[in-house]
Amino acid sequence: MPKKRFIGGIAWVVAMLAGCGAATASPATRAPLPSEPTMINYVDPSVVHGLTIRTLSTGERGGRRMHASYPAVAGAPRLTDRLRDTVEDELHRFTWRKTPGDTAVAPEFNVDWLLAAASEEVLGVRLRVGRSMDAGWRESRTTLWYDRTDRRVLDSAGLIRDDAAMTTLVRLVGQEMTRRGTPVRLGSLRLDPLRLDPAMFDSLVFNPRGDLVVEFDDGQVGSRATGRVAVAVPSAVSEPLLSPTGLRARRAVVSSARPSGTSEQDMLDASTDKPPARSSRAGEVDCARARCVALTYDDGPGPGTGRLLDVLGRYGARATFFPLGSGASARPDLLRRMRDEGHLVANHTWSHRDLTMLTTLMVTSQLDRAQHAIAQAIGQAPTLMRPPYGGLDGRVADVAGGLGMSVVRWNVNADDREDPAPRAIAERVVARTGPGSIVLMHDVHDATVDAAPEILRRLTEAGYTFVTVPELYGRRAMRPGWIYDSGAAATSPERLSASYPGAMSP
Ligand code: NI
C-alpha cells in the first residue's frame, strides 16, 4: 500500500495496482475512507432498471480465446451503441493482429466492465480490456459517460469543463508523475510527464468520496509490469474543473455512497458460508434406471435467458447454469428464477479468463468473486465450476477443490458458436447425446435459445429425462476437486495431471 504524501496541504496518492481497482460505495460522510484513494466507485448493476448483458464474442476461434461483453441499458440506446462500437473496435484490432509464430500459448482477449456511477441523471460504464499477444498480459481502461438529462454519450474528457480545465488537469497529474518519478512513455520514447497527451485521459472516474481518479493503460506510464497506474485528484482541486455532466457524475457517486459492511447483518449477507446449491427437485429421478441427460448453459445470463427458462419450464426440464459472476451480480433476478424453477446454478468464474494463464491467487479470486456474487443472489453456494475454454490443469482443479467445488466439463459440444443455425444446433445435440451426457451450450446466444424447443422435444421422444449434473451420479456424490466429463467419466485430481497435461480445447 503506497504511503500518503502531502504537497501544499493536498494529499496525493499514486497507486499501482494490478487488480481492477474498484471499491464498493462507502459512506461519504465518514472520512477518511479506509480504502486506497484510487479504488474507484462501483455501483451494484442490479439496481439499474432494464440492464442486460450482451456478449459479443465468447469462446475460442482460430487459436484465440476471446470473451467480450458489455452492458445494455434500456432507455439509453446511444450508450449501448457506443459501448458495442468500442468493444467491437478493440476486438477487431485483436483479431487482425498477427499471431507471433513461435508462441506456445493461445492469445487471449477479455473485456470486463463495471458501473462507475448510476443515477437518474448519469450513467458511467468503465470497460477494462485485457489482451495477451507477444508481450504478456496488458490492460487498458476506458470510461464512457451518459448524461440522461440530454441523452448524450460523452468520453471521459466530457467530464472536464473546457480545454483550459483539461490543461490544468494534465499539468496536475503530470506534476504528480514527476514527483513520483513515474516514467511516461510513448512506445519506447520517454516523455516529459508535464506534456502528457490529453488523449490518455480516457478513463476518468471517481472514488466513493468524490475525488476524481485518472486511470492510465498498462504501459502508458510506468512499465507494463507495473499494471494499473492511477492518480486521485482531491475533490477540492478537481471539482472546479468539472463540466455540468462531470458535476452530475460526481453527485451520483457521492449521493449513492451508502454504508456497507458496517453491521453484523452485512457481514452475514456478505459471507459465502451458505448452504450448498442443489436443485429443489433433486432426487426425483433415478438415473441408474432412467435415460438421463444434463443440459448445461454457460456464460450467461444473457438477453434470452428468461425465454430459455420459459421453454425449459414448458417441458418440465431442468438444466445446470454456469453463469459468470459479473452477470450474476447484474441479473440476480434471473439466478433466483433458475433456483426457484428447479435448475442448478454453478460457477463459471468472474470474468471468463483462461485460468491456466493466471497465478494461483488470481484463480482463487476469479472463482471466489463469482461464488460470492452467486451466493448473494440465491442464498446458496455453488458446488460445481466449469473452467472457461475448458482450460484446466491440476493447479486449477486443486483451487476449485479447496473452495468446495467439483470441476464439470462436457462430452457433448453443441458447437453453438461455430455454426449458430438453431436447426443445426438441435441436430448436433440430438445426434451426439447418449445416456449420461453432459451437453455444453451457451444461453448468451439467441440461436441456442431458439434451438431449445426442438432439442427438448426430440430428446423427450427418445426417452430422455433432463436432470442437473449431480443427479447423473445419484448417490455417488461428486467430490470437490474431481473432474466430471459425463455420467460415466470422473477423474481424480491425481489422474488429471497424467491424462490432461494442459488446457483442453472446447
Ligand atoms: Ni464459457
Side-chain angles (χ1 to χ4, degrees):
M1 182 66 70
K3 281 185 188 147
K4 277 195 179 179
R5 298 195 191 172
F6 293 84
I7 296 183
I10 300 162
W12 283 99
V13 174
V14 174
M16 297 170 182
L17 298 172
C20 75
T24 46
S26 301
T29 46
R30 212 173 304 140
L33 280 177
S35 67
E36 202 284 320
T38 68
M39 295 293 262
I40 67 178
N41 185 61
Y42 165 76
V43 179
D44 175 358
S46 70
V47 303
V48 177
H49 178 73
L51 187 145
T52 52
I53 298 167
R54 303 250 177 98
T55 304
L56 205 59
S57 177
T58 185
E60 184 165 334
R61 188 173 284 179
R64 294 174 189 219
R65 299 180 164 189
M66 295 172 276
H67 182 83
S69 61
Y70 60 94
V73 182
R78 285 181 190 164
L79 175 65
T80 304
D81 290 350
R82 266 293 289 281
L83 287 166
R84 188 201 56 224
D85 292 348
T86 306
V87 173
E88 234 164 33
D89 282 354
E90 294 279 2
L91 186 62
H92 285 157
R93 216 171 302 161
F94 174 79
T95 11
W96 285 104
R97 268 186 71 172
K98 268 197 197 140
T99 316
D102 56 349
T103 184
V105 292
E108 186 182 354
F109 178 86
N110 186 272
V111 179
D112 190 15
W113 58 272
L114 62 75
L115 285 184
S119 71
E120 295 296 309
E121 295 185 322
V122 289
L123 285 170
V125 179
R126 188 253 221 168
L127 298 169
R128 183 175 61 166
V129 181
R131 59 189 79 68
S132 69
M133 193 60 90
D134 40 3
W137 188 253
R138 184 164 170 261
E139 289 179 352
S140 56
R141 298 154 194 89
T142 306
T143 303
L144 293 173
W145 290 89
Y146 182 69
D147 194 323
R148 289 175 139 162
T149 64
D150 57 8
R151 298 190 181 143
R152 274 192 312 149
V153 182
L154 299 103
D155 295 322
S156 282
L159 296 192
I160 304 304
R161 208 181 57 226
D162 52 22
D163 288 351
M166 181 54 101
T167 305
T168 305
L169 180 64
V170 169
R171 181 170 49 79
L172 288 168
V173 171
Q175 278 169 358
E176 177 58 12
M177 294 293 180
T178 309
R179 195 187 66 70
R180 296 286 307 222
T182 308
V184 177
R185 299 169 196 283
L186 182 67
S188 55
L189 270 180
R190 211 168 148 140
L191 300 181
D192 177 357
L194 294 175
R195 319 193 83 156
L196 281 168
D197 183 352
M200 287 181 181
F201 289 54
D202 64 344
S203 187
L204 301 185
V205 281
F206 295 90
N207 68 17
R209 198 162 44 187
D211 305 325
L212 185 69
V213 178
V214 181
E215 299 187 294
F216 294 95
D217 298 342
D218 293 0
Q220 265 183 345
V221 293
S223 70
R224 279 187 181 186
T226 313
R228 175 179 180 259
V229 174
V231 176
V233 183
S235 60
V237 180
S238 54
E239 200 173 342
L241 305 177
L242 298 178
S243 66
T245 303
L247 290 168
R248 286 181 194 112
R250 184 180 179 280
R251 196 156 54 225
V253 167
V254 174
S255 67
S256 72
R258 57 185 163 73
S260 67
T262 49
S263 70
E264 210 173 317
Q265 191 55 47
D266 283 337
M267 283 182 69
L268 286 173
D269 288 348
S271 164
T272 51
D273 186 20
K274 302 271 196 286
R278 72 194 290 265
S279 163
S280 57
R281 289 170 49 199
E284 279 182 10
V285 182
D286 178 1
C287 292
R289 294 157 186 265
R291 268 161 98 86
C292 289
V293 57
L295 304 180
T296 68
Y297 292 95
D298 287 13
D299 299 352
T305 301
R307 195 157 58 88
L308 175 63
L309 289 169
D310 293 342
V311 176
L312 291 168
R314 277 207 295 281
Y315 282 84
R318 287 173 294 135
T320 306
F321 287 87
F322 290 87
L324 294 174
S326 52
S329 74
R331 295 302 305 269
D333 54 317
L334 285 168
L335 270 74
R336 283 192 283 274
R337 210 186 136 190
M338 292 167 189
R339 175 202 62 192
D340 293 345
E341 295 177 8
H343 307 292
L344 184 65
V345 183
N347 184 327
H348 196 39
T349 75
W350 178 263
S351 64
H352 213 274
R353 290 287 311 277
D354 177 354
L355 299 181
T356 61
M357 300 306 293
L358 302 183
T359 64
T360 303
L361 197 64
M362 288 162 83
V363 173
T364 306
S365 161
Q366 277 284 334
L367 287 170
D368 212 32
R369 223 176 138 196
Q371 196 77 344
H372 184 260
I374 296 166
Q376 291 290 92
I378 64 169
Q380 301 175 343
T383 60
L384 311 179
M385 67 79 71
R386 175 173 282 159
Y389 312 106
L392 186 65
D393 56 25
R395 194 179 51 105
V396 171
D398 278 350
V399 173
L403 293 169
M405 284 180 273
S406 308
V407 180
V408 175
R409 295 193 294 200
W410 59 88
N411 69 336
V412 171
N413 189 341
D415 291 325
D416 52 351
R417 200 176 56 93
E418 287 69 15
D419 175 6
R423 278 216 71 122
I425 293 171
E427 203 60 54
R428 281 192 293 273
V429 169
V430 171
R432 295 172 186 178
T433 291
S437 284
I438 297 176
V439 183
L440 171 70
M441 292 178 281
H442 300 83
D443 54 325
V444 291
H445 299 320
D446 282 342
T448 305
V449 177
D450 292 339
E454 190 176 336
I455 292 171
L456 291 164
R457 182 179 58 76
R458 289 176 57 188
L459 289 179
T460 302
E461 280 169 10
Y464 282 95
T465 305
F466 305 94
V467 298
T468 63
V469 170
E471 291 167 81
L472 290 179
Y473 305 96
R475 291 211 199 106
R476 295 171 292 144
M478 297 176 76
R479 296 196 211 179
W482 280 53
I483 298 97
Y484 297 84
D485 292 342
S486 76
T491 311
S492 73
E494 296 76 42
R495 273 180 56 206
L496 173 75
S497 40
S499 53
Y500 298 101
M504 137 192 194
S505 193

Coordinates of all heavy atoms in Angstrom, one line a residue, residues 58 298-299 348 352 388 442, ligand 1:
T58 N -17.6 -15.1 -27.4 CA -17.1 -15.9 -26.3 C -16.7 -17.2 -26.8 O -17.3 -17.8 -27.7 CB -18.2 -16.1 -25.2 OG1 -17.6 -16.8 -24.1 CG2 -19.4 -16.8 -25.7
D298 N -23.7 -22.0 -20.4 CA -22.6 -21.2 -19.9 C -22.7 -19.7 -20.3 O -23.3 -19.4 -21.2 CB -21.2 -21.7 -20.5 CG -20.8 -23.1 -19.9 OD1 -21.6 -23.7 -19.3 OD2 -19.6 -23.4 -20.1
D299 N -21.9 -19.0 -19.5 CA -21.6 -17.6 -19.9 C -22.7 -16.5 -19.6 O -22.5 -15.4 -19.8 CB -21.1 -17.4 -21.3 CG -19.9 -18.2 -21.7 OD1 -19.3 -18.8 -20.7 OD2 -19.5 -18.3 -22.8
H348 N -18.9 -20.2 -13.2 CA -18.1 -20.1 -14.4 C -17.0 -19.0 -14.3 O -16.6 -18.5 -15.3 CB -19.0 -20.0 -15.6 CG -18.3 -20.3 -16.9 ND1 -17.5 -21.4 -17.1 CD2 -18.5 -19.7 -18.2 CE1 -17.1 -21.4 -18.4 NE2 -17.7 -20.4 -19.1
H352 N -14.3 -14.8 -17.0 CA -14.0 -15.7 -18.1 C -12.6 -15.6 -18.6 O -12.3 -15.6 -19.8 CB -15.0 -15.4 -19.3 CG -15.3 -16.6 -20.1 ND1 -14.5 -17.0 -21.2 CD2 -16.3 -17.5 -20.1 CE1 -15.0 -18.1 -21.7 NE2 -16.1 -18.5 -21.0
P388 N -13.4 -21.6 -17.9 CA -13.6 -21.0 -19.2 C -12.7 -21.7 -20.2 O -11.5 -22.0 -19.9 CB -13.2 -19.6 -19.0 CG -13.5 -19.3 -17.5 CD -13.2 -20.6 -16.8
H442 N -24.6 -22.4 -24.7 CA -24.4 -21.1 -24.1 C -25.7 -20.3 -24.2 O -26.2 -20.1 -25.4 CB -23.3 -20.4 -24.9 CG -22.0 -21.1 -24.9 ND1 -21.7 -22.1 -25.7 CD2 -20.9 -20.8 -24.1 CE1 -20.5 -22.5 -25.4 NE2 -20.0 -21.8 -24.4
Ligands
NI1 NI -17.6 -20.0 -21.2

